[in-house]
Amino acid sequence: MRMPRRGLVIQARTRWLLVGLALLFSLVLLMYLLECAPQTDGNGSLPGVVGESMGKEYYQALLQEQEEHYQNRATSLKRQIAQLKQELQEMSDKLKSLQEKKSPKVNGMNYQGTKEQTSNDLLEFLHSQIDKAEVSVGAKLPSEYGVIPFESFTSMKVFQLEMGLTRHPEEKPVRKDKRDELVEVIEAGLEVINNPDEEDGQDEDDGVGDRQLYSENDFVEGYYRTERDKGTQYELFYKKMDGMEYRHVTLFRPFGPLMKVKSETVDISRSIINIIVPLAGRTEAFAQFMQNFRDVCIHQDKRVHLTVVYFGQDGLSEVKSILESVARETDFHNYTLVSLNEEFNRGRGLDMGARAWEKGEVLMFFCDVDVYFTAEFLNSCRLNAEPGKKVFYPVVFSLYNPAIVYANQDIPPPVEQQLVHKKDSGFWRDFGFGMTCQYRTDFLTVGGFDLEVKGWGGEDVHLYRKYLHGDLMVIRTPVPGLFHLWHEKHCADELTPEQYRMCIQSKAMNEASHSHLGMLVFREEIETHLRKQAYRTNSEPVG
């Protein structure tokens, strides 16, 4: 039986693709051998003539420098070859998978004819990402807010605009992947400069002996920014210490097409949340908390258990009365009151609340009496925590002092009307780690809180770091349905210096926005200006 014409064409393309891959490997290996081979300097001096005046040390240093360059070059080429082999293998596996699904069948046989086309399509797509990005030409933007700013960096520091409340204007990259990314980019720029292509504009006659070789010490500064749907752009600048000429390299790391990682159905209909609240005094705040709990947990969600851990005897009877009143009015009895006759310790309270549960595995939400949450947040809590796999650390939106935010009103509006995400009404509390959703077994496995921490602050950070040092994934993100209500904060004299500093810092952050604090600082100057304006207006003759 004769094979159809289409099958012959596909076979021919497959053979040419294999030949092309073989030639590509041969070319890379040839480049590697040429680069590693010792080269003679055509302009070097002859021994015993001019060279003797230079001294033996000069030639030893020169040889050592050349040897280090060749070793670095060989290492770089080996890494590129290994990376190329891996990428080719991955692409081959992907193409094979696609062909098994999509290749046409001829006489009951699959023929591979899409490898070359798929490879070209992928390369074309990556180049299209560069063309779409704002790399070579500018883009028309509707306003100044449409600009994606760069962040600048040197070999040691990153200078960033978006700081939040924990990052600094200038800092060393903390995450290893960010450090590795910047090191890789700097090395890639050196590779481009020291081994230019024909389109880089350097004369072909310039040999290695005539061309200046650049190293990491010659890197001056760089800029990078990321367009979320296209990729990351890098602008790199290198300069010799004794020269005035800069070398500028532009690199772009294009994003590939979206790839499915997993697709699953998550059933949270039977997921109970044990909300644990440590408390000492603050009975008025607890009454307000229970009003929100009644509306959200009892009337809407209906899948929660409340554990209150109360420290001391003062106010304990009022807390009991509030809980019993809610139970009578709503027929809600899924609560536990743990009484501890000792000094308040948030970590110990949460630890006791977690251990008081005796019904096996349960999802816990560590909460404070000043926190307001929605039913949507409770579902986010269920979706982002998974036993043995991940814990959820949401970023709370902390509200400012309503007396300052709503100073132009006779009285502040009700709490429900204050729950807005505006710059002058609050801030994302990205330095706080107290509100968290995690499963009981995970909490006990990492050892719980450090119970040696006394008083205010510090215990939540210790627990957070335990998870960071472990194998569980930490989901950290701002969530719209979680608010921290403003309350007067008192920093006790018994706190350690570090705790007192944290308490004062938190107190300052909680008070008002930068603009409102500025208005308070310059209030006398503003009032003086208004008085002068009023005096001028009253002094003007009436026409």
Side-chain angles (χ1 to χ4, degrees):
M1 180 180 293
R2 294 186 59 188
M3 184 175 295
R5 180 184 181 89
R6 179 179 178 84
L8 293 174
V9 173
I10 292 174
Q11 273 195 335
R13 289 184 176 179
T14 303
R15 285 197 297 270
W16 280 112
L17 177 61
L18 294 175
V19 172
L21 290 175
L23 290 175
L24 179 60
F25 279 123
S26 302
L27 179 60
V28 172
L29 291 173
L30 180 60
M31 291 174 59
Y32 167 73
L33 293 174
L34 289 176
E35 289 292 340
C36 293
Q39 299 184 15
T40 58
D41 188 356
N43 296 328
S45 301
L46 293 174
V49 187
V50 183
E52 286 184 348
S53 62
M54 303 296 291
K56 183 185 298 184
E57 292 81 3
Y58 169 77
Y59 290 105
Q60 288 179 343
L62 184 61
L63 288 172
Q64 184 177 359
E65 181 181 353
Q66 292 291 334
E67 183 179 358
E68 290 178 356
H69 166 68
Y70 292 134
Q71 288 178 350
N72 293 336
R73 176 63 176 153
T75 302
S76 176
L77 283 171
K78 288 179 180 178
R79 184 170 63 248
Q80 292 180 50
I81 291 171
Q83 184 177 0
L84 179 60
K85 288 182 178 179
Q86 181 180 357
E87 291 176 355
L88 287 173
Q89 182 62 43
E90 291 175 354
M91 185 179 294
S92 176
D93 295 341
K94 186 175 180 181
L95 289 174
K96 184 178 180 180
S97 176
L98 291 173
Q99 288 155 6
E100 291 176 354
K101 296 179 180 179
K102 299 181 179 180
S103 293
K105 291 186 177 181
V106 181
N107 295 334
M109 301 176 62
N110 286 330
Y111 288 93
Q112 300 179 355
T114 59
K115 278 189 176 181
E116 184 177 352
Q117 181 62 38
T118 304
S119 177
N120 292 335
D121 289 345
L122 179 59
L123 190 61
E124 183 179 350
F125 171 79
L126 296 178
H127 280 290
S128 70
Q129 292 290 82
I130 301 177
D131 296 335
K132 293 176 184 177
E134 195 179 350
V135 177
S136 301
V137 294
K140 294 182 179 180
L141 303 173
S143 69
E144 66 274 19
Y145 301 108
V147 174
I148 301 177
F150 285 87
E151 291 188 348
S152 61
F153 65 96
T154 64
S155 57
M156 297 295 294
K157 297 286 184 66
V158 175
F159 305 88
Q160 52 207 3
L161 285 177
E162 298 182 5
M163 297 177 293
L165 292 172
T166 57
R167 299 167 67 192
H168 302 284
E170 171 192 304
E171 66 181 19
K172 294 182 178 180
V174 177
R175 288 179 58 97
K176 183 178 182 298
D177 56 350
K178 174 57 67 175
R179 294 197 302 269
D180 292 345
E181 174 197 358
L182 298 182
V183 169
E184 177 192 5
V185 167
I186 294 173
E187 290 180 350
L190 290 172
E191 184 71 21
V192 171
I193 295 175
N194 293 331
N195 300 279
D197 296 329
E198 293 183 2
E199 64 265 21
D200 290 336
Q202 293 200 10
D203 295 336
E204 295 181 0
D205 296 336
D206 290 346
V208 176
D210 297 328
R211 189 172 64 245
Q212 280 189 318
L213 297 177
Y214 286 74
S215 68
E216 290 84 354
N217 295 330
D218 299 320
F219 176 71
V220 179
E221 64 178 356
Y223 309 100
Y224 70 91
R225 67 175 178 181
T226 299
E227 296 184 59
R228 301 293 178 105
D229 59 337
K230 299 178 182 68
T232 303
Q233 174 186 354
Y234 303 90
E235 302 290 339
L236 310 173
F237 296 89
Y238 303 80
K239 185 179 81 70
K240 287 292 185 182
M241 184 176 296
D242 55 350
M244 291 300 295
E245 184 179 78
Y246 284 81
R247 295 301 308 272
H248 175 206
V249 178
T250 299
L251 301 177
F252 191 79
R253 191 194 302 273
F255 292 154
L258 293 173
M259 297 182 65
K260 183 183 74 175
V261 177
K262 69 176 180 179
S263 177
E264 61 182 354
T265 300
V266 182
D267 183 11
I268 59 174
S269 60
R270 298 182 180 180
S271 178
I272 303 296
I273 299 179
N274 182 17
I275 301 177
I276 305 176
V277 181
L279 186 63
R282 309 285 313 282
T283 54
E284 291 184 3
F286 182 68
Q288 185 181 41
F289 172 86
M290 287 306 298
Q291 182 60 47
N292 177 48
F293 183 88
R294 180 202 301 246
D295 296 339
V296 173
C297 300
I298 300 177
H299 294 158
Q300 297 181 50
D301 191 83
K302 303 177 181 178
R303 292 164 292 167
V304 298
H305 183 96
L306 176 63
T307 300
V308 179
V309 182
Y310 195 86
F311 290 82
Q313 297 297 317
D314 187 19
L316 177 60
S317 59
E318 294 180 58
V319 170
K320 286 182 179 179
S321 176
I322 293 171
L323 289 171
E324 292 170 356
S325 175
V326 171
R328 285 193 308 270
E329 296 172 5
T330 63
D331 195 27
F332 176 81
H333 302 283
N334 294 330
Y335 71 88
T336 303
L337 176 61
V338 179
S339 176
L340 299 177
N341 192 17
E342 55 189 73
E343 185 181 355
F344 178 78
N345 182 312
R346 185 177 186 273
R348 172 159 168 75
L350 294 171
D351 187 82
M352 289 294 295
R355 298 179 188 278
W357 180 269
E358 299 178 348
K359 300 178 183 179
E361 182 67 290
V362 69
L363 175 60
M364 305 182 300
F365 170 38
F366 293 161
C367 188
D368 284 342
V369 71
D370 301 298
V371 167
Y372 185 103
F373 54 85
T374 65
E376 290 75 18
F377 165 74
L378 294 179
N379 287 333
S380 298
C381 181
R382 294 181 175 99
L383 292 170
N384 290 288
E386 189 175 351
K389 292 187 178 180
K390 55 185 179 180
V391 293
F392 186 39
Y393 272 84
V395 181
V396 182
F397 192 79
S398 189
L399 297 177
Y400 290 132
N401 187 346
I404 298 177
V405 176
Y406 304 100
N408 59 341
Q409 302 182 21
D410 295 334
I411 58 173
V415 171
E416 291 76 13
Q417 297 180 20
Q418 299 178 27
L419 306 178
V420 292
H421 301 92
K422 292 185 178 180
K423 193 172 184 179
D424 285 334
S425 64
F427 65 98
W428 291 113
R429 198 183 187 89
D430 57 352
F431 58 85
F433 306 94
M435 308 307 117
T436 172
C437 298
Q438 51 194 261
Y439 277 84
R440 185 173 183 270
T441 53
D442 294 331
F443 174 76
L444 297 177
T445 299
V446 299
F449 287 102
D450 182 0
L451 300 181
E452 297 298 321
V453 178
K454 304 295 183 183
W456 185 93
E459 78 290 331
D460 49 358
V461 181
H462 285 87
L463 178 63
Y464 185 69
R465 288 172 180 167
K466 286 183 179 180
Y467 283 118
L468 295 180
H469 298 160
D471 296 328
L472 271 66
M473 183 186 302
V474 176
I475 307 298
R476 178 74 167 163
T477 179
V479 290
L482 193 62
F483 295 86
H484 181 271
L485 306 181
W486 181 89
H487 62 89
E488 187 72 32
K489 185 179 290 294
H490 300 283
C491 299
D493 294 334
E494 293 78 16
L495 296 176
T496 65
E498 176 65 16
Q499 287 179 320
Y500 192 82
R501 183 191 65 80
M502 292 171 59
C503 185
I504 290 295
Q505 180 185 25
S506 178
K507 184 175 182 178
M509 294 290 187
N510 286 338
E511 199 64 22
S513 65
H514 187 275
S515 60
H516 277 152
L517 288 176
M519 296 294 286
L520 292 174
V521 171
F522 299 110
R523 179 167 53 187
E524 293 184 4
E525 183 177 336
I526 294 171
E527 292 176 351
T528 301
H529 172 74
L530 293 176
R531 284 196 298 269
K532 289 180 180 180
Q533 289 292 99
Y535 176 78
R536 291 174 184 173
T537 302
N538 295 332
S539 300
E540 292 180 358
V542 180

